[in-house]
Coordinates of all heavy atoms in Angstrom, one line a residue:
M172 N 0.8 -1.3 0.0 CA -0.1 0.0 0.0 C 0.9 1.3 0.0 O 0.6 2.2 -0.7 CB -0.9 0.0 1.2 CG -1.9 1.3 1.4 SD -2.9 1.1 2.5 CE -3.6 2.6 2.6
G173 N 1.9 1.3 0.9 CA 2.8 2.5 0.9 C 3.4 2.7 -0.3 O 3.7 3.8 -0.8
H174 N 3.9 1.6 -1.1 CA 4.6 1.6 -2.3 C 3.7 2.3 -3.4 O 4.1 3.1 -4.2 CB 5.2 0.2 -2.8 CG 6.0 0.3 -3.9 ND1 5.4 0.2 -5.2 CD2 7.3 0.4 -4.0 CE1 6.5 0.3 -6.0 NE2 7.6 0.4 -5.3
A175 N 2.4 1.8 -3.3 CA 1.5 2.5 -4.3 C 1.2 4.0 -4.0 O 1.2 4.8 -5.1 CB 0.2 1.8 -4.2
I176 N 1.1 4.4 -2.9 CA 1.0 5.7 -2.4 C 2.2 6.6 -3.0 O 2.1 7.7 -3.5 CB 0.8 6.0 -0.9 CG1 -0.5 5.4 -0.6 CG2 1.0 7.4 -0.6 CD1 -0.8 5.3 0.9
V177 N 3.3 6.1 -2.7 CA 4.5 6.7 -3.3 C 4.6 6.9 -4.7 O 4.9 7.8 -5.3 CB 5.9 6.0 -2.8 CG1 7.1 6.5 -3.4 CG2 6.0 6.1 -1.2
Q178 N 4.2 5.8 -5.4 CA 4.2 5.9 -6.8 C 3.2 6.9 -7.4 O 3.5 7.7 -8.3 CB 4.0 4.5 -7.5 CG 5.0 3.6 -7.4 CD 4.8 2.2 -8.0 OE1 3.6 1.7 -7.9 NE2 5.8 1.7 -8.5
K179 N 2.0 7.0 -6.9 CA 1.0 7.9 -7.3 C 1.4 9.3 -7.0 O 1.2 10.3 -7.7 CB -0.3 7.6 -6.7 CG -1.1 6.3 -7.1 CD -2.3 6.1 -6.5 CE -2.9 4.8 -6.9 NZ -4.1 4.3 -6.2
A180 N 2.1 9.5 -5.9 CA 2.5 10.8 -5.4 C 3.7 11.3 -6.1 O 4.2 12.4 -6.0 CB 2.6 11.0 -3.9
Q181 N 4.5 10.5 -6.8 CA 5.7 10.6 -7.5 C 6.7 11.1 -6.6 O 7.4 12.0 -6.8 CB 5.5 11.6 -8.6 CG 4.6 11.1 -9.8 CD 4.5 12.0 -10.8 OE1 4.7 13.2 -10.8 NE2 3.9 11.6 -12.0
I182 N 6.8 10.5 -5.2 CA 7.7 10.8 -4.4 C 9.0 9.9 -4.6 O 8.9 8.8 -4.8 CB 7.2 10.6 -2.9 CG1 6.0 11.4 -2.6 CG2 8.3 10.7 -1.8 CD1 5.2 11.1 -1.4
P183 N 10.1 10.5 -4.7 CA 11.4 9.9 -5.1 C 11.7 8.9 -4.0 O 11.6 9.1 -2.8 CB 12.4 10.8 -5.2 CG 11.9 12.1 -4.6 CD 10.5 12.0 -4.6
F184 N 12.1 7.6 -4.4 CA 12.6 6.7 -3.4 C 13.6 5.8 -4.1 O 13.7 5.8 -5.3 CB 11.4 5.7 -2.9 CG 10.7 5.0 -3.8 CD1 11.2 3.6 -4.2 CD2 9.6 5.5 -4.6 CE1 10.4 2.9 -5.2 CE2 8.9 4.8 -5.6 CZ 9.3 3.5 -5.9
G185 N 14.5 5.3 -3.4 CA 15.7 4.4 -4.0 C 15.2 3.3 -4.7 O 14.3 2.6 -4.4
K186 N 16.1 2.8 -5.6 CA 16.0 1.6 -6.3 C 16.6 0.6 -5.6 O 16.4 -0.8 -5.9 CB 16.7 1.7 -7.7 CG 16.0 2.8 -8.6 CD 16.6 2.8 -9.9 CE 15.8 3.6 -10.9 NZ 16.3 5.0 -11.1
S187 N 17.4 0.8 -4.5 CA 18.0 -0.2 -3.6 C 17.8 0.2 -2.2 O 17.5 1.3 -1.8 CB 19.4 -0.5 -4.1 OG 20.1 0.6 -3.7
L188 N 18.1 -0.7 -1.3 CA 18.1 -0.3 0.2 C 19.1 0.8 0.4 O 18.9 1.8 1.1 CB 18.4 -1.6 1.0 CG 18.4 -1.3 2.5 CD1 17.0 -0.9 3.0 CD2 18.8 -2.7 3.1
E189 N 20.3 0.6 -0.2 CA 21.4 1.6 0.0 C 21.1 3.0 -0.5 O 21.3 4.1 0.2 CB 22.6 1.1 -0.6 CG 23.4 0.0 0.0 CD 22.6 -1.4 -0.4 OE1 21.9 -1.5 -1.4 OE2 22.8 -2.3 0.4
E190 N 20.5 3.0 -1.7 CA 20.0 4.3 -2.3 C 18.9 4.9 -1.5 O 19.0 6.2 -1.3 CB 19.5 4.1 -3.8 CG 19.3 5.4 -4.5 CD 19.0 5.3 -5.9 OE1 18.8 4.2 -6.3 OE2 18.7 6.2 -6.6
S191 N 18.0 4.1 -1.0 CA 17.0 4.7 -0.1 C 17.5 5.2 1.1 O 17.0 6.4 1.6 CB 15.9 3.5 0.3 OG 15.2 3.3 -0.8
Q192 N 18.5 4.6 1.8 CA 19.1 5.1 2.9 C 19.8 6.4 2.7 O 19.8 7.3 3.4 CB 20.2 4.1 3.5 CG 20.9 4.5 4.6 CD 20.0 4.5 5.9 OE1 19.3 3.7 6.2 NE2 20.1 5.7 6.6
K193 N 20.5 6.6 1.5 CA 21.1 7.7 1.2 C 20.2 8.8 1.1 O 20.6 10.0 1.6 CB 22.0 7.6 -0.1 CG 22.9 8.7 -0.5 CD 23.6 8.4 -1.8 CE 24.3 9.7 -2.1 NZ 25.2 9.5 -3.4
L194 N 19.1 8.7 0.4 CA 18.0 9.6 0.2 C 17.5 10.1 1.6 O 17.3 11.3 1.7 CB 16.9 9.2 -0.7 CG 17.4 9.0 -2.2 CD1 16.1 8.3 -3.0 CD2 17.7 10.4 -2.9
L195 N 17.2 9.0 2.4 CA 16.7 9.4 3.7 C 17.8 10.3 4.5 O 17.4 11.3 5.2 CB 16.4 8.2 4.4 CG 15.0 7.5 4.1 CD1 15.0 6.1 4.7 CD2 13.8 8.5 4.3
N196 N 19.2 10.0 4.5 CA 20.1 10.7 5.2 C 20.2 12.0 4.6 O 20.3 13.0 5.4 CB 21.4 9.9 5.1 CG 21.5 8.7 5.9 OD1 20.7 8.5 6.7 ND2 22.5 8.0 5.5
Q197 N 20.0 12.3 3.3 CA 20.1 13.6 2.7 C 18.9 14.4 3.2 O 19.2 15.6 3.6 CB 20.1 13.5 1.2 CG 21.5 12.9 0.6 CD 21.4 12.6 -0.8 OE1 20.2 12.8 -1.5 NE2 22.5 12.5 -1.5
T198 N 17.7 14.0 3.2 CA 16.5 14.6 3.8 C 16.8 14.9 5.2 O 16.6 16.2 5.5 CB 15.3 13.7 3.5 OG1 15.2 13.4 2.2 CG2 14.1 14.3 4.1
S199 N 17.3 13.9 6.1 CA 17.6 14.2 7.5 C 18.5 15.3 7.6 O 18.4 16.2 8.5 CB 18.0 13.0 8.1 OG 16.9 12.1 8.2
A200 N 19.6 15.3 6.8 CA 20.6 16.4 6.9 C 20.0 17.7 6.6 O 20.4 18.7 7.2 CB 21.7 16.0 5.9
A201 N 19.3 17.7 5.6 CA 18.6 19.1 5.1 C 17.7 19.7 6.3 O 17.6 20.8 6.5 CB 17.9 19.0 3.8
L202 N 17.0 18.8 6.8 CA 16.1 19.2 8.0 C 16.9 19.6 9.1 O 16.6 20.7 9.7 CB 15.3 18.0 8.4 CG 14.2 18.3 9.5 CD1 13.2 19.3 9.1 CD2 13.5 17.0 9.9
V203 N 17.9 19.0 9.5 CA 18.8 19.4 10.6 C 19.5 20.7 10.3 O 19.5 21.6 11.2 CB 20.0 18.3 10.9 CG1 21.0 18.9 11.8 CG2 19.3 17.2 11.4
M204 N 19.9 20.9 9.1 CA 20.4 22.2 8.7 C 19.4 23.3 8.8 O 19.8 24.4 9.3 CB 21.0 22.1 7.2 CG 22.2 21.3 7.0 SD 23.6 22.1 8.0 CE 23.4 23.7 7.5
M205 N 18.3 23.1 8.4 CA 17.2 24.1 8.4 C 16.8 24.5 9.8 O 16.5 25.7 10.2 CB 16.0 23.8 7.5 CG 16.3 23.7 6.1 SD 14.8 23.4 5.1 CE 14.0 21.9 5.8
Q206 N 16.9 23.6 10.7 CA 16.5 23.9 12.1 C 17.6 24.4 12.9 O 17.4 25.2 13.8 CB 16.1 22.6 12.8 CG 14.8 22.0 12.1 CD 14.3 20.6 12.7 OE1 15.2 19.9 13.2 NE2 12.9 20.3 12.5
S207 N 18.8 24.0 12.7 CA 19.9 24.4 13.6 C 20.7 25.6 13.2 O 20.9 26.4 14.1 CB 21.0 23.2 13.7 OG 21.5 22.9 12.4
Q208 N 21.1 25.7 11.9 CA 21.8 26.9 11.3 C 21.2 27.4 10.0 O 21.2 26.7 9.3 CB 23.3 26.5 11.4 CG 23.6 25.3 10.7 CD 25.1 24.9 11.0 OE1 25.9 25.8 10.5 NE2 25.4 23.7 11.3
P209 N 20.9 28.6 10.0 CA 20.4 29.2 8.8 C 21.5 29.2 7.7 O 22.6 29.5 7.9 CB 19.9 30.6 9.1 CG 20.7 31.0 10.2 CD 21.0 29.6 11.0
L210 N 21.1 28.8 6.5 CA 21.8 28.8 5.4 C 21.8 30.3 4.7 O 20.6 31.0 4.8 CB 21.4 27.8 4.2 CG 21.5 26.5 4.8 CD1 21.1 25.6 3.7 CD2 22.8 26.0 5.1
D211 N 22.8 30.7 4.3 CA 22.9 32.2 3.7 C 22.4 32.3 2.4 O 23.1 33.0 1.5 CB 24.2 32.7 3.9 CG 24.5 34.1 3.9 OD1 23.4 34.9 4.1 OD2 25.5 34.7 3.7
L212 N 21.4 31.7 2.1 CA 20.9 31.6 0.6 C 20.5 33.0 0.1 O 20.6 33.2 -1.1 CB 19.7 30.7 0.5 CG 20.0 29.2 0.9 CD1 18.8 28.2 0.7 CD2 21.3 28.7 0.0
P213 N 19.7 33.9 0.8 CA 19.4 35.1 0.2 C 20.6 36.0 -0.5 O 20.4 36.8 -1.4 CB 18.8 35.9 1.2 CG 18.2 34.9 2.2 CD 19.4 33.8 2.1
T214 N 21.8 35.7 0.0 CA 23.0 36.4 -0.4 C 23.6 35.9 -1.8 O 24.5 36.4 -2.3 CB 24.1 36.6 0.6 OG1 24.5 35.2 0.9 CG2 23.6 37.3 1.8
I215 N 22.9 34.8 -2.2 CA 23.6 34.2 -3.5 C 23.0 35.0 -4.6 O 21.8 35.3 -4.7 CB 23.1 32.8 -3.6 CG1 23.8 32.0 -2.5 CG2 23.4 32.2 -5.1 CD1 23.3 30.5 -2.5
E216 N 23.9 35.4 -5.5 CA 23.5 36.3 -6.7 C 23.3 35.5 -7.9 O 24.0 34.4 -8.1 CB 24.6 37.3 -6.8 CG 24.8 38.3 -5.6 CD 25.9 39.3 -5.9 OE1 26.0 39.9 -7.0 OE2 26.6 39.5 -4.8
N217 N 22.5 35.9 -8.7 CA 22.4 35.3 -10.1 C 23.5 35.7 -10.9 O 23.6 37.0 -11.3 CB 21.0 35.7 -10.7 CG 20.9 35.0 -12.1 OD1 21.7 34.2 -12.5 ND2 19.6 35.0 -12.6
I218 N 24.5 34.9 -11.2 CA 25.6 35.3 -11.9 C 25.7 34.7 -13.3 O 26.7 34.6 -14.1 CB 27.0 34.9 -11.2 CG1 27.0 33.5 -11.0 CG2 27.1 35.8 -10.0 CD1 28.4 32.9 -10.3
A219 N 24.5 34.2 -13.9 CA 24.4 33.6 -15.2 C 24.9 34.6 -16.3 O 25.6 34.2 -17.1 CB 22.9 33.2 -15.3
G220 N 24.4 35.8 -16.2 CA 24.8 36.9 -17.1 C 26.3 37.0 -17.2 O 27.1 37.1 -18.2
I221 N 26.9 37.0 -15.9 CA 28.4 37.1 -15.9 C 29.1 36.1 -16.4 O 30.1 36.1 -17.1 CB 28.8 37.4 -14.4 CG1 28.1 38.7 -13.9 CG2 30.4 37.4 -14.2 CD1 28.4 38.9 -12.4
L222 N 28.6 34.8 -16.2 CA 29.3 33.6 -16.7 C 29.0 33.7 -18.3 O 29.9 33.2 -19.0 CB 28.6 32.3 -16.1 CG 28.9 32.1 -14.6 CD1 28.1 31.0 -14.1 CD2 30.3 32.2 -14.4
N223 N 27.9 34.0 -18.8 CA 27.8 34.1 -20.3 C 28.8 35.1 -20.9 O 29.3 34.9 -21.9 CB 26.3 34.6 -20.7 CG 25.3 33.5 -20.3 OD1 25.7 32.3 -20.4 ND2 24.1 33.9 -20.1
S224 N 29.0 36.3 -20.1 CA 30.0 37.1 -20.7 C 31.4 36.5 -20.8 O 32.2 36.7 -21.6 CB 30.1 38.4 -19.7 OG 28.9 39.1 -19.9
V225 N 31.7 35.7 -19.7 CA 33.1 35.0 -19.7 C 33.2 34.1 -20.7 O 34.1 34.0 -21.5 CB 33.3 34.4 -18.2 CG1 34.5 33.4 -18.3 CG2 33.5 35.4 -17.2
V226 N 32.2 33.3 -21.0 CA 32.2 32.4 -22.0 C 32.4 32.9 -23.3 O 33.1 32.3 -24.3 CB 30.9 31.4 -21.9 CG1 30.7 30.5 -23.2 CG2 30.9 30.5 -20.6
S227 N 31.7 34.1 -23.6 CA 31.8 34.7 -24.8 C 33.2 35.4 -25.0 O 33.4 36.1 -26.0 CB 30.7 35.7 -25.1 OG 30.7 36.7 -24.1
G228 N 34.1 35.4 -23.9 CA 35.3 36.0 -24.1 C 35.5 37.3 -23.6 O 36.5 38.0 -23.7
Q229 N 34.4 38.0 -23.0 CA 34.5 39.4 -22.5 C 35.3 39.4 -21.3 O 35.3 38.4 -20.3 CB 33.2 39.9 -22.3 CG 32.3 40.0 -23.6 CD 30.9 40.5 -23.3 OE1 30.6 41.1 -22.3 NE2 29.9 40.3 -24.2
L230 N 36.0 40.5 -21.0 CA 36.6 40.8 -19.7 C 35.5 41.2 -18.7 O 34.6 42.0 -19.0 CB 37.6 41.7 -19.8 CG 38.9 41.4 -20.7 CD1 39.9 42.6 -20.8 CD2 39.6 40.2 -20.1
L231 N 35.8 40.8 -17.4 CA 34.8 41.3 -16.3 C 35.3 42.5 -15.7 O 36.5 42.8 -15.6 CB 34.8 40.2 -15.3 CG 34.2 38.8 -15.8 CD1 34.1 37.8 -14.6 CD2 32.8 39.0 -16.5
S232 N 34.4 43.2 -15.2 CA 34.7 44.4 -14.4 C 35.0 44.0 -13.0 O 34.7 42.8 -12.6 CB 33.4 45.4 -14.3 OG 32.4 44.8 -13.6
L233 N 35.5 44.9 -12.2 CA 35.8 44.5 -10.8 C 34.7 44.1 -10.1 O 34.7 43.2 -9.3 CB 36.5 45.6 -10.1 CG 37.0 45.4 -8.7 CD1 37.9 44.2 -8.6 CD2 37.8 46.6 -8.2
S234 N 33.4 44.9 -10.3 CA 32.3 44.5 -9.5 C 31.8 43.2 -9.9 O 31.3 42.4 -9.0 CB 31.2 45.6 -9.7 OG 30.8 45.7 -11.1
E235 N 31.8 42.7 -11.1 CA 31.4 41.5 -11.6 C 32.3 40.3 -11.0 O 31.8 39.2 -10.5 CB 31.4 41.3 -13.1 CG 30.4 42.3 -13.8 CD 30.6 42.2 -15.2 OE1 31.7 42.3 -15.8 OE2 29.6 42.2 -16.1
I236 N 33.5 40.5 -10.9 CA 34.5 39.6 -10.4 C 34.2 39.5 -8.8 O 34.2 38.2 -8.3 CB 36.0 40.1 -10.5 CG1 36.3 39.9 -12.0 CG2 36.9 39.0 -9.6 CD1 37.7 40.5 -12.3
C237 N 33.9 40.5 -8.2 CA 33.5 40.5 -6.8 C 32.1 39.7 -6.6 O 32.0 39.1 -5.6 CB 33.4 41.8 -6.2 SG 35.1 42.7 -6.1
A238 N 31.2 39.9 -7.5 CA 29.9 39.3 -7.3 C 30.1 37.7 -7.5 O 29.4 36.9 -6.7 CB 29.0 39.7 -8.5
V239 N 31.1 37.3 -8.4 CA 31.3 35.9 -8.5 C 32.0 35.3 -7.3 O 31.6 34.3 -6.7 CB 32.2 35.6 -9.8 CG1 32.6 34.2 -9.9 CG2 31.4 35.9 -11.1
Q240 N 32.9 36.1 -6.8 CA 33.5 35.7 -5.5 C 32.7 35.5 -4.4 O 32.7 34.5 -3.6 CB 34.6 36.7 -5.1 CG 35.5 36.3 -3.9 CD 36.3 37.5 -3.4 OE1 36.1 38.6 -3.7 NE2 37.4 37.1 -2.7
R241 N 31.8 36.5 -4.2 CA 30.8 36.5 -3.1 C 29.9 35.2 -3.3 O 29.6 34.5 -2.3 CB 30.0 37.7 -3.1 CG 30.5 39.0 -2.5 CD 29.6 40.1 -2.3 NE 28.8 40.5 -3.4 CZ 29.3 41.3 -4.4 NH1 30.5 42.0 -4.1 NH2 28.6 41.6 -5.4
T242 N 29.4 35.0 -4.5 CA 28.5 33.8 -4.7 C 29.2 32.6 -4.4 O 28.7 31.6 -3.7 CB 27.9 33.9 -6.1 OG1 27.1 35.1 -6.2 CG2 27.0 32.8 -6.4
L243 N 30.5 32.4 -4.9 CA 31.2 31.2 -4.6 C 31.5 31.0 -3.2 O 31.4 29.8 -2.8 CB 32.5 31.1 -5.4 CG 32.4 31.0 -7.0 CD1 33.8 31.4 -7.7 CD2 31.6 29.9 -7.5
R244 N 31.9 32.0 -2.5 CA 32.1 31.9 -1.2 C 30.9 31.4 -0.3 O 30.9 30.5 0.5 CB 32.6 33.3 -0.5 CG 32.9 33.1 0.9 CD 33.5 34.4 1.5 NE 34.8 34.8 0.8 CZ 35.1 36.0 0.3 NH1 34.1 37.0 0.4 NH2 36.2 36.2 -0.2
V245 N 29.7 32.0 -0.7 CA 28.5 31.6 0.1 C 28.1 30.1 -0.3 O 27.8 29.4 0.5 CB 27.3 32.5 -0.3 CG1 25.9 32.0 0.1 CG2 27.5 33.9 0.3
L246 N 28.3 29.8 -1.7 CA 27.9 28.5 -2.1 C 28.8 27.5 -1.4 O 28.5 26.3 -0.9 CB 28.1 28.2 -3.5 CG 26.9 29.0 -4.3 CD1 27.2 28.9 -5.8 CD2 25.5 28.4 -4.0
N247 N 30.1 27.7 -1.2 CA 31.2 26.9 -0.6 C 30.7 26.8 0.9 O 30.8 25.4 1.3 CB 32.5 27.5 -0.7 CG 33.7 26.6 -0.2 OD1 33.5 25.3 -0.4 ND2 34.5 27.1 0.5
N248 N 30.4 27.7 1.6 CA 29.9 27.6 3.0 C 28.7 26.7 3.1 O 28.6 25.9 3.9 CB 29.7 29.0 3.6 CG 31.0 29.7 3.8 OD1 32.1 29.0 4.0 ND2 30.9 31.0 3.9
V249 N 27.7 26.9 2.3 CA 26.6 26.1 2.2 C 26.8 24.6 2.0 O 26.4 23.8 2.7 CB 25.5 26.6 1.2 CG1 24.3 25.6 1.0 CG2 24.9 28.0 1.5
W250 N 27.7 24.4 1.1 CA 28.1 23.0 0.7 C 28.7 22.4 1.9 O 28.5 21.2 2.2 CB 29.2 23.1 -0.5 CG 29.6 21.6 -0.9 CD1 30.8 21.2 -0.6 CD2 28.8 20.6 -1.4 NE1 30.9 19.9 -1.0 CE2 29.7 19.6 -1.6 CE3 27.5 20.5 -1.9 CZ2 29.3 18.3 -2.1 CZ3 27.1 19.2 -2.4 CH2 28.0 18.2 -2.5
K251 N 29.7 23.1 2.5 CA 30.4 22.6 3.7 C 29.4 22.1 4.9 O 29.5 21.1 5.5 CB 31.4 23.5 4.2 CG 32.6 23.6 3.4 CD 33.6 24.6 4.0 CE 34.8 24.8 3.1 NZ 35.7 25.9 3.5
K252 N 28.3 23.0 5.0 CA 27.4 22.8 6.1 C 26.6 21.6 5.8 O 26.3 20.8 6.7 CB 26.4 24.1 6.3 CG 27.2 25.2 6.9 CD 26.3 26.5 7.1 CE 27.0 27.6 7.7 NZ 26.2 28.8 7.8
L253 N 26.1 21.5 4.5 CA 25.3 20.3 4.1 C 26.0 19.0 4.1 O 25.5 18.1 4.7 CB 24.6 20.6 2.8 CG 23.6 21.7 2.7 CD1 23.3 21.9 1.1 CD2 22.5 21.4 3.5
T254 N 27.3 19.1 3.6 CA 28.0 17.8 3.8 C 28.4 17.4 5.2 O 28.4 16.2 5.4 CB 29.3 17.9 2.8 OG1 30.0 18.9 3.2 CG2 28.9 18.0 1.3
G255 N 28.6 18.4 6.1 CA 28.9 18.1 7.4 C 27.7 17.5 8.0 O 27.9 16.6 8.8
A256 N 26.5 18.1 7.8 CA 25.4 17.6 8.5 C 24.9 16.1 7.9 O 24.7 15.4 8.5 CB 24.1 18.5 8.1
A257 N 25.3 15.9 6.6 CA 25.0 14.6 6.0 C 26.0 13.7 6.7 O 25.5 12.4 7.0 CB 25.3 14.6 4.5
E258 N 27.3 14.0 6.9 CA 28.1 13.0 7.6 C 27.7 12.6 9.0 O 27.9 11.5 9.3 CB 29.5 13.6 7.4 CG 30.1 13.6 6.1 CD 31.5 14.4 6.1 OE1 32.0 14.8 7.0 OE2 32.0 14.4 5.0
L259 N 27.2 13.8 9.6 CA 26.9 13.4 11.0 C 25.7 12.4 11.1 O 25.4 11.6 11.8 CB 26.4 14.8 11.8 CG 27.5 15.7 12.2 CD1 27.0 16.9 12.7 CD2 28.5 14.9 13.1
N260 N 24.7 12.7 10.0 CA 23.5 11.9 10.0 C 23.8 10.4 9.7 O 23.2 9.5 10.2 CB 22.4 12.6 9.1 CG 21.6 13.5 9.8 OD1 21.6 13.6 10.9 ND2 21.1 14.6 8.9
E261 N 24.8 10.3 8.7 CA 25.1 8.9 8.4 C 25.8 8.3 9.5 O 25.5 6.9 9.7 CB 26.2 8.9 7.0 CG 25.5 9.3 5.8 CD 26.4 9.4 4.7 OE1 27.6 9.0 4.9 OE2 26.1 10.0 3.6
D262 N 26.5 8.9 10.3 CA 27.1 8.2 11.5 C 26.1 7.8 12.5 O 26.4 6.9 13.2 CB 28.3 9.1 12.1 CG 29.4 9.2 11.1 OD1 29.6 8.3 10.1 OD2 30.2 10.2 11.2
S263 N 25.1 8.8 12.7 CA 24.2 8.6 13.9 C 22.9 8.0 13.6 O 22.1 7.5 14.5 CB 23.9 10.0 14.5 OG 23.3 10.8 13.5
L264 N 22.4 7.9 12.3 CA 21.2 7.3 12.0 C 21.3 5.9 11.4 O 22.0 5.7 10.4 CB 20.5 8.3 10.9 CG 20.0 9.7 11.5 CD1 19.5 10.4 10.3 CD2 19.1 9.7 12.6
Q265 N 20.5 5.0 12.0 CA 20.4 3.7 11.4 C 19.0 3.4 11.2 O 18.2 3.1 12.2 CB 21.0 2.5 12.4 CG 22.5 2.8 12.5 CD 23.2 2.5 11.2 OE1 22.8 1.7 10.4 NE2 24.3 3.2 11.2
R266 N 18.4 3.5 10.0 CA 17.1 3.4 9.7 C 16.6 2.0 9.5 O 15.5 1.7 9.5 CB 16.7 4.2 8.6 CG 17.0 5.7 8.8 CD 16.4 6.7 7.7 NE 16.7 7.9 7.8 CZ 16.0 8.7 8.7 NH1 15.0 8.2 9.3 NH2 16.3 10.0 8.8
Y267 N 17.6 1.1 9.1 CA 17.1 -0.3 8.7 C 17.8 -1.3 9.7 O 18.9 -1.1 10.0 CB 17.4 -0.6 7.3 CG 16.7 0.3 6.4 CD1 17.4 1.3 5.7 CD2 15.4 0.2 6.1 CE1 16.7 2.1 4.8 CE2 14.7 1.0 5.2 CZ 15.4 2.1 4.7 OH 14.6 2.8 3.8

């Protein structure tokens, strides 16, 4: 019955026990992150236009370089927090 509900709701689940465990750990890590320490997501800038300029061979202005630096710094910090929380959850959670 639960499997049918998941299929109808199109909720992702793993194709194996290990994949399901990984998905559950990722979900738990995200929940822990949201509850314990806020992520600095509002400061992430849309740098798509800047990246398009770089790809087309244009030189960037100092403000554009700084925007890329700020965005990469924030994303790096978010990534470290998420991977750290995922590692903690993998060590402490045994679901099966």
Side-chain angles (χ1 to χ4, degrees):
M172 179 176 171
H174 190 267
I176 292 171
V177 169
Q178 285 183 326
K179 287 179 185 176
Q181 297 180 341
I182 299 170
F184 61 96
K186 295 182 174 107
S187 67
L188 182 61
E189 292 78 21
E190 188 178 1
S191 294
Q192 180 66 48
K193 183 177 179 180
L194 292 170
L195 286 169
N196 288 345
Q197 290 172 349
T198 302
S199 296
L202 182 59
V203 167
M204 285 301 306
M205 290 188 302
Q206 292 174 340
S207 66
Q208 44 185 311
L210 298 176
D211 199 16
L212 299 179
T214 61
I215 295 175
E216 300 176 45
N217 183 353
I218 58 171
I221 297 171
L222 296 177
N223 287 334
S224 296
V225 169
V226 170
S227 68
Q229 296 178 19
L230 295 177
L231 298 180
S232 68
L233 183 58
S234 63
E235 290 172 322
I236 293 170
C237 290
V239 171
Q240 179 189 27
R241 284 190 303 271
T242 299
L243 291 176
R244 185 177 292 131
V245 171
L246 291 173
N247 187 42
N248 289 336
V249 168
W250 178 254
K251 285 179 183 177
K252 289 178 183 179
L253 290 174
T254 55
E258 288 172 5
L259 286 175
N260 280 332
E261 284 179 13
D262 292 341
S263 63
L264 295 177
Q265 293 298 323
R266 297 191 183 276
Y267 300 104

